[in-house]
Amino acid sequence: MSYKKSLFKKLLLAFLVVGFIPFILLYIYTIYWAEDKLVNKIINEQAIQAQIIIENISSSLTSLKKEIRFISQLDMMDDIIAEDLDKRISRLLTQKKDDIGLDVELYVLNNNSIIISSSDKTVLNKKLIMSDKNLYISSKIYASFNKSKKLGSLILKYNFKNLNIFFRHQPGIYNAIIDKNAKNITGQALPFSIKIDSDFKKYINNQQLVVYKKLNAPLENFYFVYAVNKDLALDFLHEFLYFMLLILPIVIFIIFFIAIYRSKKIILPIETLTKTTEEITKTKNYSTSIDIEAKDEIGRLAHAFNALLQETNQALQSLELENKLRLKRFTKLIEIFNTIIKTKSEDECIRTSIQEIKELTEGNKLLFTKENLHSDNAIPIYVSDFVKGEKVLFGSILLELHDKNENQFYHSIVSMISLQLDKIR
């Protein structure tokens, strides 16, 4: 039927819309809003990562500074006075260089800035030439026997390339240490220009997510730059969007299958209810019932419909029984009339009538009297006084009645008795 098809289509459309809306909203959210949130989250994580690297660098350099200070306070540093003739200081510096395990050199300079001991023997007795490719950590040396007498200085030459061990080495990620003029000191060459205008900054350009922050002492004149390629940062998001497009046909199939299944499951009980109603309309068989096991609203509707059919069937059966009883009494009433009209005297008429009524009442209390009984169960019999031209009381029939319809039935009999008595008189 057309309404079934219409309801099925509406349910199917509703399920499809409800199924697709979350998927479409998720896709739109991912394209227009998730990218910004993801970018902001990544750049905040970059700032945290940059801070961790800066703290690691600072911790390492602080440890080296403490180590240099400790060495400068050793008693053997008094050999500077004798220009380290027995090379004890040089051997110590060479051993410390090996212990540090980095690209470093250690120098002991006298008060004239001449290198008298070093881990690098090629620079002995020369002046130290400082390079902008290295960091120099120094500690003054005082005589052990006179703490106010300066003997010289202990200097650690630290190659900036040593800082590369703290960087993250991954494609699309750039780590570098630059000076105030954005000149690269060490690390990867940056594929973008950068302008230093604050101690800390994070921003997004066309291709990179960039964070830079000022380093701690002894690198307080330098900045650490941490940048991530934007495409690399959003690679997961792009893969997720691609994955959503790949599974779209599967999602469509699943949603369509579930929509058809649920629509049919909802329509089937309604179709059953409709067919049963049409069958009852045609056959008038109200004893039919609907067998629907659902426990939802449709199941409750089917249960209420079955209860309605049961009550209707009981009412029809009761009405049919009452009609049969009425027909039977009407037939009996005709028989009584035929019997009464054959009587020849008043006594015979009353006697015959009482006998017939007793058969109907099946032994109920029945009494005829010449008196006028003032009772709801008393039915008076009036006859005509042809001399006076009026109705007079002939007697009363006392019968226990509880039904209004029965009362009318027996009044009809009494009316027939009155007519027969008038005929006899």
Side-chain angles (χ1 to χ4, degrees), residues 383-392 422 425:
V383 294
S384 299
D385 186 338
F386 297 104
V387 176
K388 295 180 179 180
E390 60 182 18
K391 290 285 187 180
V392 296
D422 283 348
R425 298 186 77 179

Side-chain angles (χ1 to χ4, degrees), residues 93-128:
L93 298 181
T94 302
Q95 181 62 45
K96 286 299 178 182
K97 174 185 174 180
D98 294 337
D99 291 344
I100 293 173
L102 299 172
D103 184 5
V104 297
E105 296 292 345
L106 290 98
Y107 308 107
V108 172
L109 284 67
N110 60 22
N111 289 328
N112 296 321
S113 300
I114 302 297
I115 301 174
I116 61 172
S117 298
S118 173
S119 57
D120 180 8
K121 296 179 181 180
T122 62
V123 297
L124 291 175
N125 300 318
K126 297 179 181 180
K127 281 195 174 183
L128 178 63

